[in-house]
Amino acid sequence: MTTLHAAPHTAADDDAIIEIRDLRKSFGQTEVLKGISLSAHRGDVISLIGSSGSGKSTLLRCLNLLETPSAGTLRLLGEPLPFRERGGQREPADRRQLRRLRARLGMVFQGFNLWPHLTLEANVMEAPVQVLGRSRDAARAEARRLLERVGLHHLRDAYPATLSGGQQQRGAIARALAMSPEVLLFDEPTSALDPELVGEVLAVIRDLAEEGRTMLIVTHEMQFAADVANRVIFLDQGEIAAEGPPDQVFGSTRTERLTRFLGTAALT
Amino acid sequence: MTERRLPPHRLALIAAAVGGIALLATTLRWDWLPEYREAILGGLWLTLTLLVTTSVAGFLLAIPLGLVQVRGPRPLAWLARGFCTLIRGTPLLLQVWLLYYGLGSLFPYLPGVRQSWLWPYLTDPWPYAFLALTISFAGYEGEVMRGAFAGVPKGELEAARSLGMHPFTILRRIWLPRAVQRVLPTLNGELIIQLKATPLVATIAAVDAYAVFGRIRQETLMVYEPLLLMALIYLVLAGLITLAFGALERRWSRHSGEP
Ligand SMILES: Nc1ncnc2c1ncn2[C@@H]1O[C@H](COP(=O)(O)OP(=O)(O)OP(=O)(O)O)[C@@H](O)[C@H]1O
Ligand SMILES: [Mg+2]
């Protein structure tokens, strides 16, 4: 493993907002993540890049436990996350803790995943009302403010199916923001979009980065990854193959594996 | 499932039906109607009550039946699958008879039942009719709901989980509404089938609309007129169900984003 910039993986990295050590994940016999260690601090914007099938989505999904890691330790927002075995399955030991932590980690999916039976505004209000117990009025006011922010205020009463992909994704970002998350996880937020719609979504994410939000972004947009991040992690076959500030990772010292990947990904 | 709006050929059919009815009304004998008005309304009432209560109760049962088949736990999933297979694989008439003649004839042997406040109900046919039609509807709709729950895109549920929602909240706010939205078009047809299944209760001496017309035919010795009126009544009921669902679907499925 070539680590250009070794993150401080000390045992007491207390101000790390996400810290994972030696995280492994297998699906059946195939090991998809082969011992990943990384930590993210408040204000970090980390781009996760790597070829298709290298395990980027799996890593991101392990961070909010949509997938349960097969091995390794996980600290989220300063809390260690214990696991237990149940019926031969590993699972988070404390479901309530898990929900509490998830509420503080926002996730934005490649396929938007807005709820089609609710209007845009209702989509954004749903979790604050149901999870945080906000009043509908307060949640609605906040939803409108957020939709305004992502440029969708005029579409707040529209249903997702009537919106363009870019609008749906901006709506999904607003939905995640409504929980005031301390970390935002993006899994290829623009990969399902027509090329002409990519820009509007990247602009919103860039805006969030400038605000100092902590974010992990899986992306195939290399230029964007380099621009927006203070750290780039290159994942190759389930391992971190390179890690560091963008100018280092993409710079002259880039590894052979990364060069090969960038050759196929066409750095624009 | 076919489109259930009102295309031109439907309108033509309706016009033909209205014309036919007018012809029948003037050429056939209807003088027995006033005498049996009360009985017909009573039978219609039982048919409607049975239809509404059994499909509501059956559908409420179908929700857990479908859910456990998709989500587990395993043993419950097997039980639910077994129940649905059994109900769907046997004639409803058999289920009605098994409950009425089978279960019904066991009750008197249970100690204390004859003296209990339940006894008058247990000797009546309608609790058995209700039960048989309810489990039948539950069996069919359990299977339908299984498909509907399984068909809700996983990402929508993951989005809910990623926001920290409680599994029960996800079911109540996202999974169930989305599943119901998907079964709405099917449910229309299933309800009409349920309507047409209700006459079977006449075989255990429940006096529904069908049974009333049977009695009228026996007593008046008329062949066609009671049958025609009965057909018309069922047709109108089926039409009303379809109309109601058309309205519901326009409200509910419009935004599902599915073809
Ligand atoms: N639920 C699953 N069951 C079995 N295998 C899986 C599952 N999820 C992912 N995999 C496998 O794990 C590997 C990594 O998948 P992952 O989705 O994490 O890759 P990725 O880096 O996100 O790729 P992409 O750029 O295509 O999104 C792939 O080989 C994939 O087939
Ligand atoms: Mg992926």
Side-chain angles (χ1 to χ4, degrees), chain B residues 95-139:
Chain B
Q95 294 158 19
V96 173
W97 284 10
L98 270 179
L99 283 175
Y100 185 62
Y101 297 113
L103 194 61
S105 63
L106 286 182
F107 280 129
Y109 296 107
L110 295 178
V113 166
R114 272 178 187 280
Q115 285 75 44
S116 82
W117 59 271
L118 271 172
W119 183 242
Y121 297 103
L122 292 178
T123 49
D124 232 29
W126 67 258
Y128 303 95
F130 171 80
L131 203 62
L133 287 172
T134 297
I135 61 169
S136 159
F137 200 68

Side-chain angles (χ1 to χ4, degrees), chain A residues 185-202:
Chain A
L185 310 172
F186 291 87
D187 189 2
E188 299 196 30
T190 59
S191 293
L193 299 178
D194 293 336
E196 72 271 20
L197 301 177
V198 168
E200 63 189 59
V201 172
L202 292 186

Side-chain angles (χ1 to χ4, degrees), chain B residues 62-109:
Chain B
I63 292 169
L65 280 172
L67 189 65
V68 296
Q69 286 184 73
V70 174
R71 235 211 95 125
R74 274 279 170 76
L76 283 183
W78 285 332
L79 265 177
R81 170 132 7 114
F83 174 81
C84 290
T85 310
L86 188 74
I87 296 301
R88 284 149 41 96
T90 53
L92 175 56
L93 185 60
L94 182 73
Q95 294 158 19
V96 173
W97 284 10
L98 270 179
L99 283 175
Y100 185 62
Y101 297 113
L103 194 61
S105 63
L106 286 182
F107 280 129
Y109 296 107

Side-chain angles (χ1 to χ4, degrees), chain A residues 33-45:
Chain A
L33 296 178
K34 300 165 183 163
I36 306 276
S37 298
L38 71 83
S39 51
H41 294 78
R42 212 165 281 280
D44 269 349
V45 177

Side-chain angles (χ1 to χ4, degrees), chain A residues 27 32 50-59 67 110 187-188 220:
Chain A
F27 293 107
V32 173
S51 53
S52 184
S54 58
K56 306 179 299 293
S57 297
T58 306
L59 175 57
E67 304 286 357
Q110 183 173 350
D187 189 2
E188 299 196 30
H220 283 297

Side-chain angles (χ1 to χ4, degrees), chain A residues 61 64 66 99 102-103 105 107 109 113-118 126-127 130-131 159 161 175-176 179, chain B residues 154-167 169 172-174 177-178 181 255-257:
Chain A
R61 292 164 58 83
N64 68 0
L66 286 179
R99 287 198 296 275
R102 274 179 177 160
L105 301 173
M107 179 136 182
F109 300 83
N113 295 341
L114 288 174
W115 300 306
H117 61 302
L118 301 176
E126 186 66 15
Q130 299 294 335
V131 178
Y159 284 84
R175 177 176 66 178
M179 297 292 282
Chain B
K154 250 180 66 194
E156 291 176 26
L157 305 178
E158 281 181 348
R161 281 202 281 155
S162 80
L163 289 160
M165 278 195 205
H166 190 280
T169 311
R172 188 171 55 85
R173 298 289 306 174
I174 315 285
R178 289 283 287 129
Q181 191 178 45
H255 315 294
S256 70

Side-chain angles (χ1 to χ4, degrees), chain A residues 58-124:
Chain A
T58 306
L59 175 57
L60 213 60
R61 292 164 58 83
C62 279
L63 291 180
N64 68 0
L65 281 303
L66 286 179
E67 304 286 357
T68 309
S70 314
T73 57
L74 196 61
R75 274 173 82 89
L76 295 176
L77 308 159
E79 293 183 34
L81 224 123
F83 293 94
R84 69 175 171 204
E85 293 285 331
R86 239 215 195 161
Q89 291 276 33
R90 201 161 180 262
E91 60 170 41
D94 185 347
R95 296 258 138 209
R96 196 173 296 171
Q97 176 200 31
L98 176 62
R99 287 198 296 275
R100 189 161 44 73
L101 291 174
R102 274 179 177 160
R104 296 163 66 192
L105 301 173
M107 179 136 182
V108 175
F109 300 83
Q110 183 173 350
F112 330 130
N113 295 341
L114 288 174
W115 300 306
H117 61 302
L118 301 176
T119 62
L120 201 48
E121 183 176 276
N123 263 276
V124 180

